[in-house]
Amino acid sequence: MRLMIATCLVMGGMVCVGCVATRPVRYYTIQPASPPANQGKPDGLVLLVGNIATPEALQDGRIRYRSGANESGAYEYDRWTERPGSMVRISLLRALRASGKYRRVLESGSLAAGDYVLLGKLYEFGEVDGASIQTKISLQVELVDRKTNRNVWDHLAEREEPVSGKTVPDVVQSLDRNLQRVVSETVAEIDKFLTMQR
């Protein structure tokens, strides 16, 4: 009798496991600015683009959403191909290179030499649900003078962008547009500050 009950339980468990459907995980990316066709300015500054720090919630790759003032979550089956901090860093790097206003724009590293290093913190990068669906990006950046190792400039860019539909791909497209505008604003502010310094 025990053997029959155990066999039924095992068989029933196998049937249940076979009935569970799994959803595929979908991956998304942001399209960074195109690489520059022009060369840098021969007498320009050398900029280093350093780390863009993110809160722990943005580090697991899931696309985030916020509803109301205190509720936040993540889509389990919709993920970024790279961490948002890395996508923002690449976008800044390419946009600064594309401006043609600097001799070189490099990723910072232990051997990289430059006049200034750009560092940042990405506070928010996701969907915001309210009366309408929006995306929000909040990015704080600072320039550090490599000679003095002092922070000489900082800028907070916060921007919301409407989402044109109700699907995750619509949210991703809105975040893409939003990031391009935040990066353009940030690069323009960096250019303005560094032009005043020369």
Side-chain angles (χ1 to χ4, degrees), residues 109-169:
S110 59
L111 300 177
D115 299 299
Y116 295 93
V117 63
L118 177 68
L119 302 170
K121 171 97 182 197
L122 184 62
Y123 293 106
E124 196 155 356
F125 190 86
E127 172 185 332
V128 178
D129 298 334
S132 63
I133 301 173
Q134 309 262 332
T135 59
K136 183 172 183 180
I137 296 177
S138 179
L139 174 66
Q140 175 86 38
V141 293
E142 63 182 36
L143 277 175
V144 176
D145 185 326
R146 293 287 296 237
K147 291 177 191 159
T148 64
N149 206 29
R150 295 183 64 175
N151 178 346
V152 294
W153 174 86
D154 62 37
H155 177 72
L156 175 64
E158 285 190 321
R159 189 170 184 290
E160 291 186 358
E161 173 82 17
V163 176
S164 61
K166 295 184 179 190
T167 66
V168 173

Side-chain angles (χ1 to χ4, degrees), residues 69-120:
N70 300 317
E71 182 183 345
S72 66
Y75 293 105
E76 287 300 319
Y77 300 103
D78 298 288
R79 299 173 186 264
W80 296 113
T81 57
E82 295 182 73
R83 292 180 179 169
S86 178
M87 291 188 292
V88 169
R89 181 180 189 208
I90 291 166
S91 294
L92 284 166
L93 186 73
R94 287 185 166 196
L96 286 163
R97 284 178 180 163
S99 75
K101 296 182 179 181
Y102 305 100
R103 185 168 19 136
R104 296 182 75 192
V105 179
L106 306 167
E107 292 186 55
S108 69
S110 59
L111 300 177
D115 299 299
Y116 295 93
V117 63
L118 177 68
L119 302 170

Side-chain angles (χ1 to χ4, degrees), residues 21 25 29 36 43-44 55 60 70 97 139 172-173 178-179 195 198:
V25 175
T29 190
D43 62 339
D60 69 358
N70 300 317
R97 284 178 180 163
L139 174 66
V172 169
Q173 289 175 356
N178 201 354
L179 179 60
T195 299
R198 297 196 95 195

Side-chain angles (χ1 to χ4, degrees), residues 6-19:
T7 304
C8 287
L9 287 175
V10 169
M11 295 299 283
M14 285 184 194
V15 169
C16 286
V17 169
C19 295

